[in-house]
Amino acid sequence: MHVTSPVREPLIQGGKTYADVTEDICRHVEGAPTKEWKIAFGISLLVLAYGTVCLAWTWWEGLGVWGLNKTVGWAWDITNFVWWVGIGHAGTLISAILLLFRQKWRTSINRAAEAMTIFAVICAASFILMHMGRPWMAYWALPLPNAFGSLWVNFNSPLVWDVFAISTYFSVSLVFWYIGLIPDLATIRDRATSKVSRFMYGTFAMGWDGSAKTWARYEYISLILAGLSTPLVLSVHTIVSMDFATSVIPGWHTTIFPPYFVAGAIFSGFAMVQNLMLITRVVYKLEDYITLEHIETMNKVITLTGSVVGVAYITEFFIAWYGGVEYEYYAFFNRMTGPYWWAYWAMMTCNVISPQLFWSRKLRRSITFTFFISIVVNIGMWFERFVIIVTSLHRDYIPSSWAMFSPTRYDIGDYIFSFGLFFTLFLLFSKYLPVVNMAEVKAVLRSTSAQLPAKIAGVAKVRQRGTAEPAFDKDKE
Amino acid sequence: MAELSGKYLVGVYDDDDTVLHAVPRLRKAGVKIKEVYSPFPIHGMDEALGHPRTRIGIAAFMFGVTGCCVALTLMIWTMGIDWPMIIGGKDPISIPAYIPITFELTVLFTAFGMVITFFISNGLGPGTHAHPRFDVRSTDNKFVMAIDLGRNSMTVEDISRALKDSGAEEVNIKQF
């Protein structure tokens, strides 16, 4: 048992012991905020403040500030909503689907990726509230009886499915994330020196003691939660895509949308995880935990999902021509060569060409290049939603309602609001909670650590007796 | 043995394999182990300790069935009975259109029901600090075995020796 195949590189490097893991991860939680953190947090708060002012004016004055007197006026908000929801798919994918596939490399990144997911879904939800115009009426989206002044919600509508899908996804992801946090919160509680932190972490650790019985149940429910979250994460973007696909707008009314949106969501989500993890690993000195191996594996997922997205674009285009529906054909031809050709080609370049560069091993193991591509992919995926929404709407069936879209100051301000919110939440998370799942990393440490300390490693003992092949030995390479 | 009630012998191990192998050895020698505390799950530990398999999966299934029924009842009643409406030329009760929400609510009820069951069955909750803390390092890097002396007929010395023989690096006595 616990023997790693020599062909695999160890997941956790630096010959860490269990105590080292606790020490490395808890250090930034227990220490005072660093200067860099304070500066980053200050900037995020400023951005958030500016966004809040814009948002307040949007709600105070009304959605007219978005220029809603034409068919495409609301495009910006919906683009941002779909973009954030898409980003919010990677975390649960990493923690749920990769758990089912027993991919141990997920243990170093799942905590931060799930946090990123939760914050991205909060940002997405903020755009839903924004476009309601009267957010205090948001509860009307819930199935409330007629006495509230309206009929029941229409359960045939994908927009109502969306309400259920996103709120279920958000709450189940939050629960999944929190369950994973409890053992680590208990670790911090037991190390805490100040009364305040012992109380705070103690309260949220809920009296966790790590008994064998609790761990057995913990593993069991983690598996079921993963099993539930896997179809859930696929269902969310499927339902978001149905918001478009069940309409009769050319360019939206396609059956390819669900798988195409899900692949795109994973694609952009992984890019965002890369983006944040590349910064986090340097700032918190986690290079031994989030290694080049992790970065490379995520790049492979980006290439795979990027290829799915590329195939979807081409299929969609082919069917628009082959299907022989002239409106459909016009919508797609107009995307490529019409007034928004630059958005279409930006999307094609960022999403179809750039991930293919990762076929080169040198490029996918380059941190600078990965960081660059992760931003390119996120820009590309934003343009994808922009292209789908704007180009399909700006040429309506009636030429008199043809229009062009340009964002107003408040459109941009509301988008900035979501960035402020996202980074404020992420910075708070990265300071006050362990960014790496300590318990799970410890559980995979033995089978993956580069140098197995003889004291803690059963493998080293086996090797002395000469009854098994040694585990991966870095010095031999 | 009234004087031993509330007294525990605590074996501290520094390796998960050692403690996993120690459990069947000690049980064979007649030691009744209360529980083993570890910083991460040790596969096979609950079987080694003789804990019954968790039935939380059955509870999860029940919650899932409840969620499914709640969703379908809600939609069929509101759309088909309370205020029937023909939308898109379809039957007021059109089950295929209800599938997404049925799925979502099934997942929601299962997840929350199961997690609440998990908290209750483990006695976890906000402000809970009631668990005996045998060794504070069990959430860091040590594997801690607790033996309730009140429930064991062997002498303290015999158990200590058995613990040491099985690989424990420390044996402490805790009184609660």
Side-chain angles (χ1 to χ4, degrees):
Chain A
M1 64 198 294
H2 283 324
V3 176
T4 318
S5 155
V7 292
R8 285 195 192 275
E9 276 190 41
L11 288 175
I12 311 294
Q13 289 176 343
K16 302 287 181 191
T17 62
Y18 300 134
D20 289 340
V21 175
T22 315
E23 194 59 44
D24 289 348
I25 310 298
C26 288
R27 193 181 300 128
H28 70 265
V29 178
E30 290 162 351
T34 57
K35 208 171 103 195
E36 292 86 359
W37 186 88
K38 282 182 187 159
I39 293 169
F41 191 65
I43 295 170
S44 302
L45 280 182
L46 281 178
V47 171
L48 182 63
Y50 174 75
T52 308
V53 171
C54 292
L55 180 59
W57 184 250
T58 308
W59 279 339
W60 178 261
E61 183 68 10
L63 294 188
V65 298
W66 288 353
L68 281 188
N69 58 354
K70 56 187 173 192
T71 49
V72 283
W74 56 283
W76 188 270
D77 182 273
I78 302 301
T79 300
N80 295 336
F81 159 67
V82 181
W83 188 70
W84 276 118
V85 163
I87 287 172
H89 272 57
T92 308
L93 183 102
I94 287 171
S95 53
I97 300 185
L98 298 185
L99 177 83
L100 295 183
F101 286 152
R102 307 213 179 275
Q103 293 294 307
K104 286 182 178 172
W105 58 273
R106 90 200 143 78
T107 53
S108 303
I109 50 167
N110 60 0
R111 167 73 43 75
E114 275 180 63
M116 190 274 304
T117 285
I118 289 163
F119 305 146
V121 175
I122 291 174
C123 290
S126 75
F127 283 103
I128 298 183
L129 288 178
M130 279 178 210
H131 93 319
M132 285 179 171
R134 290 177 291 169
W136 50 95
M137 299 289 193
Y139 66 92
W140 281 19
L142 301 174
L144 293 168
N146 295 346
F148 272 94
S150 71
L151 302 176
W152 290 100
V153 293
N154 177 9
F155 287 109
N156 296 320
S157 163
L159 295 176
V160 175
W161 304 348
D162 235 5
V163 173
F164 281 86
I166 289 168
S167 45
T168 302
Y169 181 60
F170 176 72
S171 47
V172 172
S173 299
L174 192 66
V175 163
F176 201 179
W177 183 64
Y178 184 60
I179 292 286
L181 262 173
I182 291 177
D184 284 2
L185 292 173
T187 304
I188 300 174
R189 169 198 68 195
D190 292 347
R191 287 166 54 94
T193 43
S194 84
K195 231 175 187 166
V196 177
S197 62
R198 194 176 306 135
F199 175 77
M200 288 307 290
Y201 290 107
T203 303
F204 285 102
M206 298 205 172
W208 176 271
D209 61 354
S211 68
K213 198 178 258 178
T214 313
W215 274 122
R217 289 188 184 126
Y218 170 92
E219 290 233 288
Y220 195 86
I221 69 162
S222 298
L223 194 64
I224 298 186
L225 278 176
L228 290 171
S229 303
T230 300
L232 181 66
V233 67
L234 301 181
S235 83
V236 175
H237 226 55
T238 297
I239 290 174
V240 169
S241 79
M242 284 172 178
D243 291 343
F244 299 99
T246 57
S247 73
V248 291
I249 305 291
W252 290 4
H253 189 65
T254 46
T255 48
I256 200 177
F257 262 25
Y260 154 27
F261 267 51
V262 170
I266 296 166
F267 181 53
S268 64
F270 265 75
M272 192 58 121
V273 172
Q274 284 283 34
N275 218 327
L276 294 174
M277 294 322 288
L278 288 175
I279 298 171
T280 310
R281 77 192 276 273
V282 175
V283 173
Y284 291 131
K285 302 187 177 56
L286 297 173
E287 287 95 340
D288 286 334
Y289 297 91
I290 302 157
T291 62
L292 260 187
E293 208 61 29
H294 290 92
I295 294 166
E296 188 184 356
T297 315
M298 285 197 277
N299 281 340
K300 286 177 184 168
V301 177
I302 288 177
T303 306
L304 173 73
T305 49
S307 306
V308 174
V309 168
V311 168
Y313 291 165
I314 295 163
T315 309
E316 201 181 36
F317 202 81
F318 171 76
I319 292 297
W321 166 75
Y322 186 71
V325 178
E326 67 178 297
Y327 298 107
E328 187 83 4
Y329 176 79
Y330 175 77
F332 281 89
F333 194 71
N334 182 47
R335 267 182 202 180
M336 210 183 231
T337 58
Y340 284 109
W341 63 271
W342 50 271
Y344 181 82
W345 290 107
M347 163 188 110
M348 288 303 263
T349 317
C350 294
N351 294 350
V352 183
I353 297 167
S354 69
Q356 301 305 326
L357 299 174
F358 282 143
W359 286 101
S360 149
R361 181 177 155 89
K362 207 178 149 203
L363 288 179
R364 71 172 180 260
R365 289 179 76 89
S366 152
I367 290 173
T368 326
F369 187 74
T370 302
F371 189 76
F372 171 70
I373 289 291
S374 70
I375 290 171
V376 165
V377 165
N378 270 317
I379 294 171
M381 286 308 291
W382 190 88
F383 270 111
E384 179 201 292
R385 280 64 181 249
F386 182 82
V387 164
I388 290 174
I389 294 166
V390 170
T391 62
S392 299
L393 286 176
H394 85 127
R395 291 290 176 263
D396 207 330
Y397 287 108
I398 311 168
S400 63
S401 31
W402 286 14
M404 291 296 284
F405 174 78
S406 61
T408 67
R409 184 199 304 178
Y410 298 100
D411 273 321
I412 296 167
D414 294 344
Y415 189 41
I416 288 173
F417 167 83
S418 70
F419 275 99
L421 186 63
F422 182 79
F423 284 107
T424 304
L425 290 170
F426 194 83
L427 283 166
L428 283 174
F429 154 75
S430 70
K431 172 65 196 82
Y432 292 105
L433 292 171
V435 288
V436 170
N437 192 331
M438 291 186 274
E440 288 196 4
V441 165
K442 284 175 194 166
V444 302
L445 188 64
R446 264 277 281 284
S447 50
T448 62
S449 191
Q451 292 157 339
L452 298 162
K455 188 102 194 292
I456 66 152
V459 182
K461 286 173 209 153
V462 173
R463 180 162 41 174
Q464 282 158 11
R465 274 184 253 127
T467 49
E469 277 297 298
F472 179 80
D473 192 344
K474 208 180 173 192
D475 302 330
K476 269 189 190 168
E477 288 293 286
Chain B
M1 288 196 222
E3 76 278 11
L4 287 176
S5 70
K7 231 176 186 178
Y8 291 86
L9 210 52
V10 181
V12 180
Y13 296 77
D14 73 345
D15 185 89
D16 48 337
D17 272 355
T18 315
V19 73
L20 184 59
H21 293 143
V23 168
R25 256 180 76 179
L26 289 167
R27 289 185 75 196
K28 220 173 177 182
V31 179
K32 293 192 184 78
I33 300 166
K34 184 185 177 295
E35 189 54 287
V36 173
Y37 301 88
S38 58
F40 58 84
I42 303 172
H43 289 273
M45 181 55 88
D46 51 322
E47 288 104 18
L49 286 167
H51 290 325
R53 201 181 141 79
T54 174
R55 287 167 299 162
I56 215 162
I58 302 169
F61 180 75
M62 298 297 182
F63 284 115
V65 171
T66 313
C68 184
C69 293
V70 166
L72 282 175
T73 314
L74 172 77
M75 286 183 281
I76 290 171
W77 180 71
T78 54
M79 298 290 287
I81 297 161
D82 186 52
W83 195 305
M85 273 206 298
I86 296 170
I87 293 159
K90 293 182 189 72
D91 195 298
I93 299 171
S94 45
I95 302 291
Y98 301 164
I99 297 298
I101 292 179
T102 310
F103 169 75
E104 302 297 339
L105 287 185
T106 306
V107 169
L108 188 72
F109 274 62
T110 314
F112 273 81
M114 184 173 66
V115 167
I116 291 165
T117 314
F118 171 76
F119 280 132
I120 293 170
S121 61
N122 288 316
L124 298 176
T128 312
H129 299 284
H131 289 285
R133 310 287 314 153
F134 292 103
D135 196 306
V136 83
R137 292 168 296 172
S138 71
T139 53
D140 179 5
N141 62 341
K142 298 294 179 198
F143 305 85
V144 173
M145 186 186 290
I147 292 158
D148 189 347
L149 289 174
R151 288 174 183 277
N152 270 284
S153 50
M154 291 166 73
T155 63
V156 178
E157 289 73 33
D158 281 348
I159 303 175
S160 301
R161 199 171 316 115
L163 281 171
K164 287 267 189 208
D165 286 348
S166 72
E169 59 170 16
E170 285 175 34
V171 177
N172 307 319
I173 289 185
K174 267 267 181 185
Q175 171 87 54
F176 289 100

